[in-house]
Amino acid sequence: MNLVVATGLTLFEYLNPELVKKSYQGPEFHFGDIITSYYISVLTILIGLRYIKKNYYISQSLLETKAADLERINSTKNKLFTIVSHDLRAPLATVRSYLEILSHLDPGKENWQEIQSDLIEMTQNTDNMLSNILMWSTSQLEGISINKKLIHLADTLIPVIRVFQSIANAKQITLSFDIDPGLKVRADENMLQLVIRNILSNAIKFTHNGGMIQLKVDSDYPNYVIKISDNGVGMSDQIKESIFSFKAESSFGTKNEKGVGLGLNLSKEFTDMQGGRIWFESVLGKGSTFYISIPIA
């Protein structure tokens, strides 16, 4: 429209010069004014269009981000419903079955102790699963805050190890640890405990009866590295590729222990939030070693 109007006015003046009042000192000033005015108007239009285009793309980007967030939240909701309806219900049903058996079983029977041990192990696994589910759903839907402070590694980790030693004993697995009482790190105590719980739970889950698990802490300034090794089943290359991702599927342990596929995903997220790093080495059929690096206080 601007081009048509400007061209029309110019042609009108050219064809009807007597109708236009002459106020310029010469034709060069006349046409210089016209050309300058026209280019200024074109430049103004281009700037305006560029501004509109930029805002359009910003709006599109925000819409795409919101759409991606909605898709993620919807996927989280579906995953959570699946876990609650299936993965969590199954171990609870098993616990109930064990309790029903124990209620009708003579305490003097030989298998009383074995059933009681399995029940303790199943209850601990279910509690660990529930803790992972709650922490994961909170971090996905609401975000999670971090409270980093100076903590003693031994005071933080040994209570967790003691709990899992009883579970390891049920599978006749030797769980040993070596932690210098003087080691201090700057981390979130609850997050670090959750990470260690998940790694130890997996180590016990995928180690055969009579196996060994060792936890030790090495110095790698400016970090301490928590090393958890087992001589269990190890991992295939396919599992290694997705072990820390949301796509990791739940799997069964050497005694059909059930997980929900969230533990290592949470462990990586929480370790990263604390300024640390988590990685692993694994050989199929020979075992795995996980490393958790945490900044020295």
Side-chain angles (χ1 to χ4, degrees):
M1 184 180 290
N2 179 272
L3 183 63
V4 169
V5 171
T7 304
L9 288 173
T10 303
L11 287 174
F12 177 81
E13 182 179 356
Y14 178 76
L15 297 173
N16 305 280
E18 70 280 358
L19 298 179
V20 180
K21 182 179 179 181
K22 303 297 181 182
S23 58
Y24 294 95
Q25 296 179 1
E28 63 275 8
F29 290 101
H30 181 199
F31 288 103
D33 185 28
I34 293 174
I35 293 171
T36 304
S37 300
Y38 181 68
Y39 277 107
I40 289 175
S41 65
V42 169
L43 183 62
T44 303
I45 291 171
L46 288 175
I47 293 173
L49 287 175
R50 183 178 178 83
Y51 176 78
I52 293 170
K53 186 178 179 180
K54 181 181 178 181
N55 280 275
Y56 168 77
Y57 283 125
I58 291 174
S59 299
Q60 284 294 104
S61 178
L62 289 173
L63 287 173
E64 290 173 2
T65 301
K66 289 183 178 180
D69 288 342
L70 287 173
E71 185 176 353
R72 178 182 58 80
I73 291 172
N74 189 56
S75 176
T76 300
K77 179 198 69 176
N78 292 336
K79 178 81 171 177
L80 187 59
F81 285 164
T82 300
I83 291 169
V84 172
S85 63
H86 181 264
D87 290 341
L88 190 59
R89 187 172 60 182
L92 288 175
T94 304
V95 170
R96 185 183 64 185
S97 299
Y98 272 125
L99 289 173
E100 290 175 353
I101 293 172
L102 284 174
S103 66
H104 296 92
L105 196 66
D106 184 357
K109 294 284 186 180
E110 293 181 2
N111 55 354
W112 166 273
Q113 195 67 33
E114 181 182 351
I115 293 176
Q116 193 175 42
S117 176
D118 287 344
L119 181 59
I120 292 172
E121 181 182 353
M122 182 64 67
T123 304
Q124 178 61 40
N125 286 338
T126 305
D127 179 68
N128 197 43
M129 287 169 57
L130 184 59
S131 176
N132 282 337
I133 291 168
L134 292 174
M135 293 293 286
W136 174 75
S137 58
T138 300
S139 68
Q140 293 295 311
L141 298 176
E142 301 176 7
I144 193 164
S145 59
I146 181 171
N147 179 27
K148 291 175 65 175
K149 59 183 180 181
L150 187 149
I151 59 175
H152 288 79
L153 264 181
D155 294 343
T156 301
L157 301 186
I158 290 177
V160 177
I161 297 170
R162 295 294 187 199
V163 171
F164 280 94
Q165 276 183 325
S166 62
I167 301 172
N169 291 338
K171 289 183 70 173
Q172 299 177 340
I173 294 172
T174 302
L175 173 55
S176 60
F177 63 92
D178 180 16
I179 307 173
D180 187 333
L183 302 185
K184 300 176 184 178
V185 296
R186 186 163 297 279
D188 185 301
E189 185 174 10
N190 292 326
M191 284 187 175
L192 184 57
Q193 286 183 334
L194 182 137
V195 171
I196 300 303
R197 281 203 306 269
N198 281 316
I199 303 299
L200 286 177
S201 177
N202 275 352
I204 295 171
K205 178 179 173 182
F206 294 108
T207 298
H208 293 288
N209 285 23
M212 295 181 63
I213 299 172
Q214 184 182 38
L215 184 151
K216 61 181 297 187
V217 181
D218 295 325
S219 177
D220 184 21
Y221 191 83
N223 302 297
Y224 285 127
V225 179
I226 304 168
K227 178 182 175 182
I228 301 175
S229 305
D230 66 67
N231 59 352
V233 299
M235 286 179 271
S236 65
D237 291 338
Q238 183 180 1
I239 295 176
K240 289 179 185 178
E241 291 177 0
S242 62
I243 195 71
F244 289 126
S245 72
F246 185 71
K247 298 177 182 178
E249 296 293 333
S250 59
S251 54
F252 291 91
T254 55
K255 284 186 65 177
N256 290 322
E257 302 98 324
K258 187 70 170 68
V260 294
L262 294 176
L264 291 178
N265 180 283
L266 265 180
S267 297
K268 177 169 174 51
E269 181 181 345
F270 285 179
T271 303
D272 291 345
M273 288 176 67
Q274 296 176 87
R277 189 166 72 93
I278 183 170
W279 71 99
F280 68 93
E281 297 171 351
S282 183
V283 178
L284 188 62
K286 293 186 177 181
S288 304
T289 301
F290 278 81
Y291 303 88
I292 303 100
S293 177
I294 298 295
I296 295 174

